[in-house]
Amino acid sequence: MNETTFNWQKVVQYGIISAVVILYVCLVGLVDAFKARDVIDKVLSLAHALIIVISFSMGYVIARNLVSRPENGVGKITLSGLTVGLISGLIMVVFVMIISTWNVRQMFINASPALVKILTFDQPSSTMGLLILVASLTTISTFGAITRLLPQQLRQIIVVGFAAVLLVGMLQDFLTRIKIINYLTAFIYSRKGLTIPGAVAVFIIFAGLNNFWSTQGEMVKKKISQIPDAPRGVLNWAFWGAGLIFLILIPQMTDSYVAQILFTIGLYIMMGLGLNISLGWAGLLDLGFAGFFAIGAYSVALLTSTGQRSLTFLTTGQAGASYVSFWVAIPIVVAMSAGAGVFLGIPVLRTRGDYLAIITLGMAEIIRILVKSDAMRPILGGAQGILNIPKPVFSITNQVQILFKEPMHFYYLILVGAFLVAFLAKRLQHARVGRNWIAIREDEDVAEAIGINVVATKLLAFGIGASFAGLSGAIFATQLGSVFPDSFGLLVSINAVSLVIIGGIGSIPGVIIGALVLVGLPELLREFAEFRLLIYGILLIVMMLVKPEGFWPSEATKRELNLDTEE
């Protein structure tokens, strides 16, 4: 055994890290909260699945660190995974014995007898439960190390299959609301989690699809590229048409709860596409995007509200009528938001990187504090906000009118808005101004040297991005029927920045995927609302370590990362 290359100290460190992570999720209450949800009914709870994922991941990671060295054979790598699991299991045994013997709940409120039952698998004998705990962690960690030694195709089948089972099991409440697959839910789901045949079917289907794409994907792409332009254009239109029909029919296939979640995702897609212009293409790190979202919301509130915080009341002293309708207010709101973006962009023209982020963050906080202050209370309502924002009315004829009042109606409104914003963003990306933004992002000095008007181009990025955020804020305020300052905190800006980075900087499809992952999934798991930010942070950390380029990176990002890898 070559001690200089096979570092047992690192193996022990990973075992301790595995135990510390498991201890952390136990003590913050995640394990106890997840016990209420089963992934597979009466077989695997979400609490045990969380521990399995941690142990498997640590075994996989230690094997990945060792597998590139030819002197570390299969035996050594397998032994490293076994050691990691054994160390974490023994530490967990000590932890269970401590909280079983002494009352430590004054320090750690979640170190309860219920947690002990979960960790000992509800065994009547504590000794047997602890043996099962050690054996389970050791086996799972060893399996993780062995999985890393398998051929890539087989490894992907295993990982994708189990991940699909976990995800489909967690999304039971959502998937059972889809009316078109109701006849399948009896086979896939029981009252609480997946059935065993359903879990097997999900594993086989997703593993099979992954295997097909990994083996036949390149051939399929090649055949599609060989299709003549005219038939290929028809195929593309058919694909986009099918996708559009699916999006139109989603509310009909589900219920108002899902429509509301999709509405929220659509809001963040519009904001993300706006931020993608300044951050993804122009390279301007804007942490104050929630300020433009707030400007759009308060602008439409002032223009359309029928209460005492409206332009009608401010100009006439009487409430009860909107100053303008929603459809007239939208262009005004977009123009005001774009103007605000340009105005707030002027002071930051000569700043870059971290300095730009700090300044834009400060500007957003200034907007929020001003809106909430007593000085602006006569106009903007202060902490009480602006109420009585009427719902939009779409008139087809004088006799036929559609009142937007249900989540389904606003879903269609946000769908139209998101399509419009995405279309404009796509056209801007390939226009001259889009190439100018990308040139500034790559090297501002060189861009200025070749004749690009850096000042105008930057202000245009701020203005267009802000207009997209203002439009989403206007729709948000109208759907809610009121606006309050606390709806536009720092977390809104962080969500927008995160979904752009997670999805893939500079990529329009990446923004959509980022919104689905960072906004859609937490909304679907509302029962764990207490831990949403914790899960959110863990997801960000894992994503930055595992896939820093994002789910769907732009071509430029791919090339940059490949260049870094070659170097």
Side-chain angles (χ1 to χ4, degrees):
M1 182 180 298
N2 192 338
E3 294 291 342
T4 62
T5 57
F6 192 77
N7 192 342
W8 282 105
Q9 183 179 1
K10 180 175 288 188
V11 175
V12 173
Q13 287 176 350
Y14 272 93
I16 296 174
I17 292 172
S18 177
V20 169
V21 174
I22 297 173
L23 285 172
Y24 178 77
V25 297
C26 288
L27 293 177
V28 298
L30 267 177
V31 172
D32 196 14
F34 283 7
K35 177 63 176 177
R37 173 76 75 90
D38 279 359
V39 177
I40 303 176
D41 188 25
K42 299 179 181 178
V43 175
L44 179 65
S45 69
L46 189 56
H48 290 134
L50 177 62
I51 297 174
I52 289 173
V53 168
I54 295 171
S55 185
F56 177 90
S57 299
M58 287 300 173
Y60 187 94
V61 169
I62 189 63
R64 186 186 64 180
N65 290 343
L66 300 175
V67 76
S68 59
R69 301 170 181 173
E71 64 273 12
N72 293 329
V74 175
K76 292 180 182 178
I77 295 173
T78 304
L79 183 60
S80 68
L82 186 147
T83 305
V84 168
L86 182 61
I87 291 173
S88 63
L90 293 176
I91 294 175
M92 290 305 300
V93 166
V94 174
F95 169 71
V96 171
M97 293 176 64
I98 289 175
I99 63 176
S100 300
T101 306
W102 293 289
N103 183 10
V104 296
R105 298 195 68 186
Q106 291 183 349
M107 295 178 60
F108 305 106
I109 191 171
N110 293 303
S112 61
L115 178 61
V116 174
K117 288 185 178 181
I118 295 172
L119 295 176
T120 56
F121 300 90
D122 292 329
Q123 293 295 316
S125 170
S126 59
T127 303
M128 180 60 66
L130 293 176
L131 290 175
I132 294 174
L133 176 62
V134 174
S136 299
L137 293 179
T138 304
T139 303
I140 293 164
S141 182
T142 306
F143 180 65
I146 294 173
T147 302
R148 184 61 184 84
L149 296 173
L150 297 175
Q152 182 178 1
Q153 185 176 342
L154 182 58
R155 184 168 71 238
Q156 286 183 350
I157 289 174
I158 293 173
V159 173
V160 170
F162 281 113
V165 170
L166 179 61
L167 183 61
V168 173
M170 291 173 61
L171 296 179
Q172 179 178 2
D173 288 345
F174 167 68
L175 294 177
T176 51
R177 294 171 184 268
I178 302 177
K179 301 172 185 176
I180 197 171
I181 63 171
N182 278 346
Y183 63 95
L184 290 175
T185 55
F187 170 73
I188 298 176
Y189 294 107
S190 64
R191 185 183 62 84
K192 187 181 177 184
L194 291 165
T195 62
I196 294 179
V200 173
V202 169
F203 182 93
I204 293 174
I205 291 171
F206 281 88
L209 290 174
N210 178 79
N211 181 59
F212 170 79
W213 186 251
S214 61
T215 56
Q216 306 297 325
E218 291 299 326
M219 185 181 67
V220 171
K221 292 179 182 178
K222 185 177 180 180
K223 288 185 176 181
I224 293 176
S225 65
Q226 293 174 350
I227 298 175
D229 291 342
R232 196 193 315 167
V234 173
L235 184 63
N236 287 336
W237 279 108
F239 172 78
W240 288 109
L244 180 60
I245 292 172
F246 174 74
L247 291 175
I248 292 173
L249 294 179
I250 281 180
Q252 311 298 330
M253 296 186 297
T254 56
D255 53 20
S256 59
Y257 171 70
V258 176
Q260 180 62 41
I261 292 175
L262 294 174
F263 171 81
T264 305
I265 294 173
L267 285 177
Y268 276 95
I269 287 175
M270 294 175 67
M271 274 199 295
L273 290 172
L275 183 59
N276 192 48
I277 291 176
S278 56
L279 174 60
W281 297 340
L284 305 172
L285 181 55
D286 187 352
L287 290 183
F289 218 62
F292 305 126
F293 185 64
I295 289 172
Y298 271 92
S299 298
V300 80
L302 288 171
L303 290 169
T304 63
S305 174
T306 59
Q308 295 185 356
R309 300 288 186 265
S310 64
L311 284 182
T312 302
F313 184 82
L314 293 174
T315 54
T316 65
Q318 297 179 353
S322 298
Y323 193 79
V324 295
S325 71
F326 171 79
W327 308 107
V328 176
I330 283 297
I332 301 174
V333 168
V334 170
M336 292 178 64
S337 301
V342 172
F343 178 76
L344 296 177
I346 293 174
V348 300
L349 285 175
R350 293 300 176 184
T351 57
R352 306 178 188 178
D354 300 337
Y355 302 99
L356 175 62
I358 293 172
I359 293 174
T360 52
L361 176 62
M363 288 181 174
E365 284 300 294
I366 289 172
I367 293 174
R368 187 183 65 84
I369 292 171
L370 282 176
V371 169
K372 203 171 182 178
S373 66
D374 291 336
M376 300 297 293
R377 185 174 182 178
I379 300 174
L380 302 180
Q384 296 178 352
I386 300 177
L387 309 177
N388 301 322
I389 302 174
K391 305 298 182 184
V393 177
F394 183 74
S395 299
I396 300 176
T397 65
N398 291 333
Q399 290 77 26
V400 181
Q401 294 181 336
I402 300 175
L403 175 62
F404 287 73
K405 60 179 181 179
E406 300 294 335
M408 184 186 303
H409 300 152
F410 281 97
Y411 164 76
Y412 289 123
L413 180 61
I414 203 69
L415 182 63
V416 173
F419 263 105
L420 177 61
V421 168
F423 173 77
L424 293 174
K426 186 70 174 178
R427 299 296 294 176
L428 289 169
Q429 181 182 13
H430 298 290
R432 175 179 293 182
V433 66
R435 296 194 295 271
N436 290 347
W437 286 331
I438 294 173
I440 291 174
R441 182 194 67 190
E442 296 300 326
D443 195 313
E444 184 176 329
D445 296 328
V446 173
E448 189 172 12
I450 62 177
I452 295 175
N453 189 332
V454 174
V455 172
T457 306
K458 280 187 175 183
L459 292 180
L460 196 59
F462 277 117
I464 295 177
S467 67
F468 291 171
L471 177 60
S472 63
I475 298 175
F476 166 76
T478 306
Q479 195 265 349
L480 193 63
S482 56
V483 288
F484 303 97
D486 293 334
S487 300
F488 312 101
L490 176 61
L491 188 59
V492 176
S493 296
I494 292 176
N495 283 338
V497 173
S498 299
L499 69 89
V500 172
I501 295 174
I502 293 296
I505 293 180
S507 170
I508 294 175
V511 170
I512 298 172
I513 294 175
L516 289 172
V517 172
L518 291 184
V519 180
L521 284 181
E523 289 292 335
L524 291 171
L525 299 176
R526 277 281 181 178
E527 60 189 291
F528 308 120
E530 183 181 354
F531 305 100
R532 286 177 67 199
L533 292 180
L534 175 62
I535 298 171
Y536 186 89
I538 292 173
L539 177 61
L540 290 179
I541 293 172
V542 172
M543 191 65 191
M544 291 298 97
L545 293 174
V546 176
K547 201 173 177 63
E549 72 275 13
F551 283 108
W552 194 319
S554 63
E555 292 300 325
T557 304
K558 289 181 182 179
R559 289 193 297 268
E560 291 171 3
L561 291 175
N562 289 337
L563 180 61
D564 292 341
T565 302
E566 292 172 3
E567 291 177 352

